[in-house]
Amino acid sequence: MRIGMRLLLGYFLIVAIAAWFVVSIFVQEVKPGVRRATEGTLIDTATLLAEFAQADIKAGNPRHGQLAQAFSRLNQQPFQASISGITKTRNEYRVYLTDARGIVLFDSSGAAIGQDYSRWNDVWLTLQGKYGARSSPQDASNPESTVMYVAAPVRDGSALLGVLSVGKPNSAMEPVIRRSERRILWAGVALLGIALLIGFGVVLWINRSIGGLVRYADSVTDEHPLPLPKPGSSELRRLALALESMRLKLEGKSYIEQYVHALTHELKSPLAAIRGAAEILREGPPPAIVEKFSASILQQNLRMQRLVDNLLQQAKLESRAEIVPQAVDSALLFRTLCEQREAVASSRQVALHVEPGDLLLWGDAALLEQAIGNLLDNALDFTPAGGEITLSAKQLAGQTVITVADNGSGIPDYAQDRVFERFYSLPRSNGQKSSGLGLAFVQEVARLHRGTISLVNRPEGGAQARLALPEK
């Protein structure tokens, strides 16, 4: 099982257990909580009605007193109330009044008048001077038919005249309890759903970040490694830098071997030319011959110096793991690059054109200048007299694309997959070959900027290099 799925299942399991624990506690507390609140209301009601019952007992006519008349009018005047979606249409209280012996004097239901209620807890405990309450089923076969009764003493000064009890069926509280339970359960389901969505999003982010690192690690064995990804997390960022460091170290040995082999190969030709010239000069030739072969030695020495400088520059660039990007004015950069190559272009009868545009490039200014300069130099090397080179920059799909297009000889089919290899070069328009490090340098600059570089043939002839850089 993938690590992302394991994380999602583990996270969801923890949230589900926590939600179940919290929801179960809430659900278990709903019914007792509602009944405690109802009991408090019954106490207040019983205490209030006991004051009216006092006058009825003292008047000796509790069956037709103020309390009885009030309940009679209440039963004759039905009402309708909506309490948060729960409809109430009738009075659900049952009130009965006993004397000091526990004999029922008044019953709002009219069923218990004259009966002895002295043994019911609500009446008996109140007669003992204690808090009296009970919960008894109306139907012995149905345990859900219970009624909660709360009693209050009816006093005249310190004398106990009787007990007034107020009862309310627990079934009247069921709609409130069921609605609260449903809302809590729905809240629990919503919590699990939200947790699952959050977990899914986190797993996608982790999978995407790890997937980017995996693709980067897989590309280490390729000739064209992917740019170092941006995981978006400090831990994954450190892992990415560790992978980059590992890549550089793993490439070190083969890299040095490749450099030594390439350097040896490239130095053979100039060293042979220098040796041949030196042997001729030892023979004491005429001054014209001395001048010619002395110039050849200096030329071959300059060639070797450039090769060594290019190798050192390439090695330094490829050892860098990242750069600090900054804003670079593309118009100023392009103008500077063209001015630096204007003399060479004029001597080769090649026109340089810069398409108008004023975009900001984000990257290392020095590296971008050298990379785009290498692309221009490469275009100059393969553009014949009378040709032209166009330099432009556009914003496409969240990237800034720098294009160097020429109408030269283009890229042969056999070389299209190798143009970015180190030390691979094609004969220039003058028949000479370069060190083969210019385009490899551009590729490394693109990698450091998390961009891409491509070099393709144009349908109308010539080649086009596209350096795509991400926007800020």
Side-chain angles (χ1 to χ4, degrees):
M1 184 182 293
R2 298 180 64 179
I3 185 172
M5 185 57 66
R6 291 183 181 182
L7 289 174
L8 178 60
L9 291 177
Y11 169 78
F12 185 72
L13 182 61
I14 293 173
V15 174
I17 293 174
W20 173 82
F21 183 73
V22 173
V23 169
S24 63
I25 291 178
F26 272 96
V27 170
Q28 291 172 7
E29 286 295 318
V30 167
K31 185 178 291 187
V34 172
R35 290 185 176 178
R36 283 193 293 269
T38 303
E39 184 175 354
T41 303
L42 292 176
I43 292 172
D44 295 338
T45 305
T47 304
L48 177 63
L49 294 180
E51 296 298 321
F52 291 95
Q54 177 195 31
D56 292 345
I57 293 177
K58 291 176 67 175
N61 189 23
R63 296 179 64 177
H64 301 91
Q66 296 181 19
L67 195 61
Q69 292 176 16
F71 271 93
S72 177
R73 289 192 297 270
L74 179 64
N75 293 331
Q76 293 175 4
Q77 298 176 359
F79 59 89
Q80 184 170 359
S82 179
I83 307 172
S84 298
I86 299 175
T87 303
K88 181 178 177 65
T89 59
R90 61 186 179 86
N91 174 47
E92 294 164 337
Y93 280 156
R94 179 195 174 189
V95 177
Y96 57 81
L97 176 65
T98 71
D99 59 15
R101 296 173 301 160
I103 305 300
V104 178
L105 303 176
F106 165 76
D107 183 2
S108 62
S109 67
I113 296 177
Q115 295 184 18
D116 185 0
Y117 270 29
S118 61
R119 295 189 178 183
W120 291 110
N121 276 343
D122 57 328
V123 177
W124 185 77
L125 290 173
T126 304
L127 292 176
Q128 299 298 317
K130 302 176 182 179
Y131 169 62
R134 68 181 171 97
S135 183
S136 305
Q138 290 179 317
D139 183 358
S141 62
N142 182 11
E144 299 297 327
S145 65
T146 56
V147 179
M148 182 189 303
Y149 291 96
V150 173
V154 181
R155 297 182 180 277
D156 183 15
S158 60
L160 181 62
L161 301 180
V163 176
L164 184 136
S165 292
V166 179
K168 185 172 185 177
N170 287 324
S171 60
M173 295 173 266
E174 284 303 312
V176 178
I177 294 172
R178 285 197 300 270
R179 185 186 62 181
S180 299
E181 289 177 345
R182 282 197 303 271
R183 289 185 174 181
I184 293 174
L185 290 175
W186 276 113
V189 171
L191 173 63
L192 289 178
I194 294 172
L196 184 60
L197 289 176
I198 294 175
F200 187 69
V202 171
V203 167
L204 284 179
W205 171 74
I206 292 175
N207 282 342
R208 185 173 66 251
S209 299
I210 294 178
L213 293 176
V214 169
R215 288 189 295 273
Y216 171 74
D218 289 338
S219 72
V220 168
T221 57
D222 297 338
E223 287 293 332
H224 310 296
L226 294 174
L228 184 66
K230 287 184 177 180
S233 165
S234 58
E235 293 81 3
L236 293 177
R237 178 66 176 169
R238 287 197 296 270
L239 176 59
L241 292 176
L243 285 174
E244 175 71 357
S245 176
M246 181 183 68
R247 180 186 77 85
L248 296 174
K249 291 179 181 179
L250 288 175
E251 287 184 346
K253 184 178 179 181
S254 60
Y255 208 57
I256 293 174
E257 292 176 352
Q258 184 184 17
Y259 267 11
V260 171
H261 175 75
L263 182 60
T264 302
H265 177 75
E266 292 293 330
L267 290 178
K268 280 183 179 180
S269 178
L271 284 174
I274 292 174
R275 180 178 179 179
E279 289 176 351
I280 293 175
L281 291 175
R282 289 180 62 183
E283 298 177 356
I289 301 298
V290 171
E291 179 68 23
K292 176 182 176 181
F293 283 98
S294 297
S296 176
I297 291 174
L298 293 175
Q299 182 181 7
Q300 297 302 327
N301 178 73
L302 179 61
R303 178 182 173 186
M304 289 190 296
Q305 183 64 46
R306 287 176 177 174
L307 177 62
V308 171
D309 290 343
N310 288 337
L311 284 172
L312 292 175
Q313 188 180 57
Q314 183 78 10
K316 182 180 179 181
L317 176 66
E318 292 175 353
S319 66
R320 296 178 63 172
E322 59 181 343
I323 60 171
V324 178
Q326 58 185 352
V328 180
D329 187 344
S330 63
L332 177 61
L333 175 60
F334 290 174
R335 187 166 60 251
T336 301
L337 290 170
C338 289
E339 289 175 354
Q340 292 173 353
R341 288 156 181 81
E342 185 176 358
V344 176
S346 297
S347 65
R348 298 181 184 179
Q349 298 179 8
V350 175
L352 292 178
H353 296 293
V354 177
E355 291 188 356
D358 190 13
L359 299 178
L360 283 181
L361 310 178
W362 287 94
D364 186 292
L367 290 181
L368 289 178
E369 180 178 354
Q370 192 164 355
I372 301 172
N374 284 359
L375 294 177
L376 283 172
D377 292 338
N378 188 73
L380 283 169
D381 288 339
F382 293 94
T383 302
E388 64 177 12
I389 299 172
T390 302
L391 178 61
S392 63
K394 296 180 181 179
Q395 288 183 333
L396 297 173
Q399 291 182 317
T400 302
V401 180
I402 302 167
T403 303
V404 178
D406 63 65
N407 57 357
S409 57
I411 309 168
D413 293 340
Y414 64 85
Q416 288 184 357
D417 296 332
R418 302 188 61 188
V419 290
F420 291 105
E421 290 183 14
R422 303 179 191 96
F423 310 109
Y424 183 81
S425 63
L426 293 170
R428 303 175 181 174
S429 57
N430 59 7
Q432 297 181 355
K433 295 181 65 176
S434 67
S435 65
L437 292 174
L439 292 179
F441 182 90
V442 177
Q443 185 181 54
E444 284 299 316
V445 172
R447 182 186 65 83
L448 283 174
H449 286 78
R450 296 180 177 84
T452 59
I453 177 65
S454 62
L455 183 61
V456 296
N457 287 328
R458 302 171 65 194
E460 62 272 26
Q464 175 177 277
R466 296 178 79 254
L467 176 60
L469 303 175
E471 294 182 353
K472 183 179 179 182

